[in-house]
Amino acid sequence: MVTKLLSVALTTLSLLGASHAQNITSDAYFYGQSPPVYPSPQGSGAGDWAAAYIKARALVAQLTAVEKYNMTVGMSGTTICSGNIIPIPRLGFPGLCVSDAGNGLRSTDFVSGYDSGIHVGATWNKSHAATRAYEMAGEFKRKGVQVMLGPVVGPIGRVAEGGRNWEGFSNDPYLCGALVYEHITGTQKAGVQACTKHFIGNEQELNRNPGTNAQNQSVASVSSNIDDQTIHELYAWPFQDALRAGTASIMCSYNRINNSYACQNSKTLNGILKTEMGFQGYVMSDWGAVHGGVAPVLAGLDMTMPSYPFGYANLTAQSTNGSVPQSRIDDQVTRIIAAWYYLGQDTNYPPPGYGMPRSLTSPHTQVIGRQLSSKSVLLSGAQEGHVLVKNVNGALPLKRPNLVSLFGYGGQDNATTNNAQPNWGGQGAQQFIPTLQWVGGGSGYNNPAFVSDPLCAFGDRAYEYGTSLVWDFNNTNPNVNGASDVCFVFINAYATEGRDRPGLHDDYSDSIVLNVASKCNNTIVVLHNAGVQLVDTFYNNPNVTAIVYAHLPGQDSGRALTSLVYGDVSFSGKMPYTVAKNESDYGRLLAPTQPEGIDYLFPQSNFTEGVYIDYKAFDAMNITPRFEFGYGLTYSTFSITNLTASVLPNATLTPYPATAPIVQGGNPNLFSTLFTVSITLTNTGTVTAAEVAQLYIGIPGGPIRQLRGFEKVLLAPGASAQVTFALTRKDLSMWNVVSQDWLLQAGTYQMYVGNSSRNLPVKATLVISAGGGNGGGGSSSMSTVVTKTSSAGATSVPSGVEHAPWPTASWSCPGNGGAGWGWGQGGSGVTGGWALQAGSGWGKKGW
């Protein structure tokens, strides 16, 4: 079945046959593989952009030709801003400062080091994503930055060793999309433009830019060859959520898409982004990602960064010689100015680069970006992104130990100085860095006001509790005090922009864990990881009693960790990706695609797996992971009961959404809520903790299950809460490549609720009929809402122990077998038919 599902598209991309005896030497070989879409649609001011467009058009009408050109390309400036658009003083336009990145403002002082994207993903907390972005964006604004170069939703994380996976939230499009929606909302509520990146298919660092190989031959950027259905259901999904949230800008990526550079790909920019999804803002290039003069502009690029690579004379000639229509230039400028007005940056905004001095070592004015209101957000976010994956023998929380021993190179911040111009923090392709890792490397690096490392944080606890503390961060086989109550080992997994990771485990780090565990029967491993890292070398060691994926917590790393291990708050993080037992489990999605064969000079990465990445691939191949997507322990236990499902009274169950004027984000009817699913979540343990209830749907013809809802709920012992998931038309649809629309199929939909992608004790079946409900009558007009609630008792969903067995109880529903519920003729309000059927049992672990 999987083979059949993956047979869609890429047929035009499979023509690179072995019959060619020599390397392909010209990109003309690939012409036409990405469909042309012209002309570039003009921004309409649809939806809530209308007022901004009226103002923008009025300003653009007053610009000279030169002023228009200057608006579309970056220029050098007097600040350390990543990019600059120069001002037009006579019209009151101050220019723009655009700066990195989505984890905190880089290359300046008096700002905060926030938790990174992967850490936010591990929180599974929509509220945190919004408040973090709001506080972070406030720092950007106070420092005079109009455009935040973030968040990242591409790469989504197709390749396990991808060097930039840590900058994004998750490799699941639904989780990623829900969190990016909140990030955009928070960022732009603070008045800062969000630039969502990198559009699209930017899934590896190897060959991301054109370069020269060892034979001194020119090598093009890697081409991500992706079929239409996969683009929509996976890679474009979170970008569409960013558009719905109002993102002002989209950054096009370095790679090629179906052998057309992303920043001059008319199908993805003109077709998908600006036409289908109705994007009203502007497309900005990644730095140095433009490889043509006229072609990118005609394909939908609006702003070239950091400067125009082909000379100013060629830029101005594009209009005078007719190669670029004046209407396209006006549209470029209108989109840029409209975004400025859309965020209200024309009033009460600091001057561009106001707090971004070019040199921090030269005298400059103190411009304080940070505010005290960010303290609680920085700490709670750092806490919630830690994922506890093993906890045996009551290892955690700690119970006032007398002697705590600390080991491993990651236990302290070993930086000898931070009194220099902050930089990328990049260390090249290496598996770990010999210091605390609280952020990855590259443009996503940030500049904290301070760093709380584990040594200092444990020292504070030792002072408070009268504990003895010993440490050795240098030796791989350290001496261990035999009286130690607990031994912590701190290791990390490094990643940086520009390089993919060399592997998913390293023997050096694992040896430290094993050496300490051989001498200490209560060894706890803390792994600060910028991506997937395997732990099977020591997972089953009986002396390794707890393992924590600490991810990239930002400046409050140590303080957050000690608050968790000492039990001030419970762990609540969940895996935003899957951890395998072996590298081989990832198959061809382990490592980046290498240049090879006839494509040696034009690397080809064929995404023939379709949407089957991460847990969907593991499910399809029946591979048991070490830690599944969505997994994570707390200090308590929870139950899920009372599953109900309801169709909304005015839901329209037609195969395709009703046509409507396109707004930013696409057809608004695609996001109409059709059904709600509710459960009761109860804390059955003795500790106040937060649990993430997760809803998965099995769509006919798709993966076994896909995340389609989640809510994180904090509950005191014995307390309960009703959790309701809203299912939109898009949530239940698949992209139809023939109709070029989202198809809601007639068929059977499986619904599962639990606390990870493989611990789903509550389930039901939803049946959507083509023209009438199960109640008979065959009418397409329905009016009754039917809800079914499980009559079974509480079903424990343990979180305080690892991989609890699946419940064996089952629940039954009234009626005849699995006939389900439905309704026939009725009044107006619901079109189509549906039925909810009870499942025969909880299912079996392993799927």
Side-chain angles (χ1 to χ4, degrees), residues 17-39:
S19 59
H20 295 267
Q22 297 179 344
N23 286 349
I24 298 168
T25 57
S26 171
D27 62 359
Y29 180 88
F30 304 99
Y31 286 178
Q33 291 188 357
S34 183
V37 178
Y38 297 100

Side-chain angles (χ1 to χ4, degrees), residues 1 172-173 611-620 622-625 628-629 694-708 731 749-754 756-760 762-763 806 842-847:
M1 183 181 73
D172 178 81
V611 300
Y612 289 84
I613 68 170
D614 199 71
Y615 71 92
K616 297 166 191 172
F618 278 70
D619 289 345
N622 197 28
I623 299 172
T624 301
E628 69 268 23
F629 175 81
Q694 303 168 35
L695 168 67
Y696 294 81
I697 303 292
I699 298 174
I704 296 171
R705 51 188 167 270
Q706 304 181 67
L707 182 70
R708 286 297 184 262
D731 291 335
Y749 294 71
Q750 302 296 331
M751 301 190 299
Y752 312 89
V753 182
S756 81
S757 64
R758 293 206 171 194
N759 190 26
L760 299 164
V762 181
K763 71 175 184 178
W806 284 43
W842 300 123
K844 298 180 180 179
K845 185 176 180 179
W847 291 96

Side-chain angles (χ1 to χ4, degrees), residues 379-460:
L379 179 58
S380 63
Q383 291 167 333
E384 290 192 44
H386 286 73
V387 183
L388 180 64
V389 295
K390 181 178 182 179
N391 188 26
V392 298
N393 303 333
L396 293 175
L398 299 179
K399 302 168 182 64
R400 295 293 181 93
N402 293 314
L403 176 59
V404 175
S405 296
L406 309 178
F407 304 100
Y409 53 79
Q412 67 177 142
D413 184 3
N414 292 327
T416 56
T417 178
N418 68 349
N419 188 31
Q421 187 74 36
N423 57 25
W424 274 33
Q427 305 289 331
Q430 56 191 74
Q431 292 179 312
F432 66 92
I433 52 174
T435 185
L436 168 69
Q437 181 183 221
W438 46 269
V439 68
S443 59
Y445 184 83
N446 55 31
N447 299 109
F450 60 86
V451 174
S452 169
D453 65 13
L455 177 59
C456 291
F458 275 95
D460 290 341

Side-chain angles (χ1 to χ4, degrees), residues 9 161 206 270 272 302 310 318 360 371 405 567 637 732 738 829:
E161 293 179 357
L206 180 66
N270 287 342
I272 295 176
D302 300 305
F310 303 106
Q318 290 180 0
L360 295 181
Q371 286 194 336
S405 296
T637 57
L732 298 172
V738 176

Side-chain angles (χ1 to χ4, degrees), residues 420-614:
Q421 187 74 36
N423 57 25
W424 274 33
Q427 305 289 331
Q430 56 191 74
Q431 292 179 312
F432 66 92
I433 52 174
T435 185
L436 168 69
Q437 181 183 221
W438 46 269
V439 68
S443 59
Y445 184 83
N446 55 31
N447 299 109
F450 60 86
V451 174
S452 169
D453 65 13
L455 177 59
C456 291
F458 275 95
D460 290 341
R461 295 288 175 150
Y463 176 80
E464 180 179 356
Y465 298 143
T467 303
S468 293
L469 188 67
V470 297
W471 63 90
D472 181 349
F473 299 135
N474 294 321
N475 293 307
T476 59
N477 190 13
N479 294 320
V480 177
N481 190 311
S484 298
D485 293 298
V486 60
C487 302
F488 284 86
V489 181
F490 300 94
I491 56 177
N492 63 55
Y494 182 70
T496 183
E497 178 180 358
R499 298 286 189 277
D500 293 303
R501 296 172 59 200
L504 300 186
H505 88 282
D506 71 273
D507 295 334
Y508 179 85
S509 299
D510 293 351
S511 70
I512 301 174
V513 175
L514 294 173
N515 288 334
V516 172
S518 69
K519 306 168 187 176
C520 180
N521 64 4
N522 189 20
T523 297
I524 297 174
V525 181
V526 178
L527 169 64
H528 287 92
N529 57 307
V532 174
Q533 187 76 351
L534 307 188
V535 296
D536 261 55
T537 302
F538 52 81
Y539 174 77
N540 288 314
N541 189 307
N543 287 347
V544 174
T545 54
I547 301 174
V548 177
Y549 280 76
H551 293 110
L552 303 173
Q555 67 185 38
D556 277 357
S557 293
R559 182 176 294 107
L561 177 66
T562 53
S563 70
L564 290 162
V565 299
Y566 277 92
D568 300 348
V569 294
S570 173
F571 285 91
S572 64
K574 300 285 185 178
M575 284 297 189
Y577 50 80
T578 297
V579 177
K581 295 180 178 180
N582 299 288
E583 286 94 336
S584 59
D585 292 342
Y586 293 100
R588 58 187 294 271
L589 301 185
L590 170 66
T593 301
Q594 300 282 339
E596 60 184 3
I598 64 171
D599 308 315
Y600 189 68
L601 303 181
F602 296 90
Q604 304 291 307
S605 184
N606 297 317
F607 289 38
T608 51
E609 72 282 350
V611 300
Y612 289 84
I613 68 170
D614 199 71

